[in-house]
Amino acid sequence: ALAQAAVVPSVRWGTTWPCTPSIMDPCLTANLQAFIAHSGGTPRVTAREGSQRSSSVPPGASARQGFERRSLLEQRRKRGSVLFLDRMDADANSKAALKLVCAMRQDPDRRVALDRAVEKLRPAPEVKGPIVATYDHRSLWEGHNKKLNWAPLEYY
């Protein structure tokens, strides 16, 4: 995956456009696109049921992806309001960023980190009442119950 990432043109995280600072970061947009594509794609409307269902999309996936889709839609609207040459430049940067993000998502550790970055963008859920903190009595530290991904033995 690292050899493929070297071929991809360099795109910096957090770049802003000099003429229109309201356009989203191309790497963030590419990460949102890859996240939506990886988590099930777009649900389709069936003629019989009239509801959004698909065999490849779980029933609650469209509700979870609502924020990401709205962010991408907002980015597309902002893209439509810029000048032609700026839009061409933004398209070239977003294409390079999508290649970079797709190359990064081939590594499982980087995919988890990129997914975590998208999930941090979501707004916090509305709190309805007090929060009760619970923990597993067998955990010795935070993250003790999570699976660790070790590299092959040749790297140690």
Side-chain angles (χ1 to χ4, degrees), residues 73-148:
L73 182 64
E74 176 184 336
Q75 191 273 338
R76 277 188 224 114
R77 286 182 182 146
K78 289 179 182 177
R79 179 189 169 272
S81 65
V82 298
L83 298 174
F84 176 71
L85 291 177
D86 294 333
R87 191 167 55 237
M88 284 181 57
D89 187 36
D91 290 344
N93 284 336
S94 64
K95 185 177 179 181
L98 186 61
K99 286 182 182 178
L100 178 69
V101 168
C102 289
M104 289 174 65
R105 288 184 73 84
Q106 290 178 354
D107 182 25
D109 295 331
R110 289 184 179 177
R111 179 183 302 135
V112 169
L114 289 170
D115 288 347
R116 194 177 313 127
V118 170
E119 290 170 1
K120 283 183 182 179
L121 293 174
R122 291 182 184 157
E126 217 175 278
V127 178
K128 298 178 181 176
I131 298 174
V132 179
T134 60
Y135 64 95
D136 187 10
H137 69 280
R138 295 170 295 222
S139 294
L140 299 176
W141 64 86
E142 184 177 352
H144 182 231
N145 56 349
K146 294 181 182 173
K147 182 184 177 209
L148 296 174

Side-chain angles (χ1 to χ4, degrees), residues 2-84:
L2 293 177
Q4 292 176 352
V7 177
V8 176
S10 63
V11 176
R12 293 182 329 177
W13 290 90
T15 57
T16 58
W17 309 106
C19 59
T20 55
S22 63
I23 293 181
M24 288 176 62
D25 179 19
C27 291
L28 177 67
T29 304
N31 191 20
L32 284 171
Q33 288 174 348
F35 180 79
I36 289 174
H38 180 72
S39 61
T42 58
R44 297 185 183 101
V45 177
T46 59
R48 290 183 200 159
E49 298 175 19
S51 63
Q52 294 184 353
R53 299 294 290 231
S54 174
S55 60
S56 64
V57 178
S62 61
R64 287 189 304 256
Q65 294 175 357
F67 175 74
E68 291 85 7
R69 290 184 188 179
R70 275 183 269 136
S71 299
L72 286 176
L73 182 64
E74 176 184 336
Q75 191 273 338
R76 277 188 224 114
R77 286 182 182 146
K78 289 179 182 177
R79 179 189 169 272
S81 65
V82 298
L83 298 174
F84 176 71

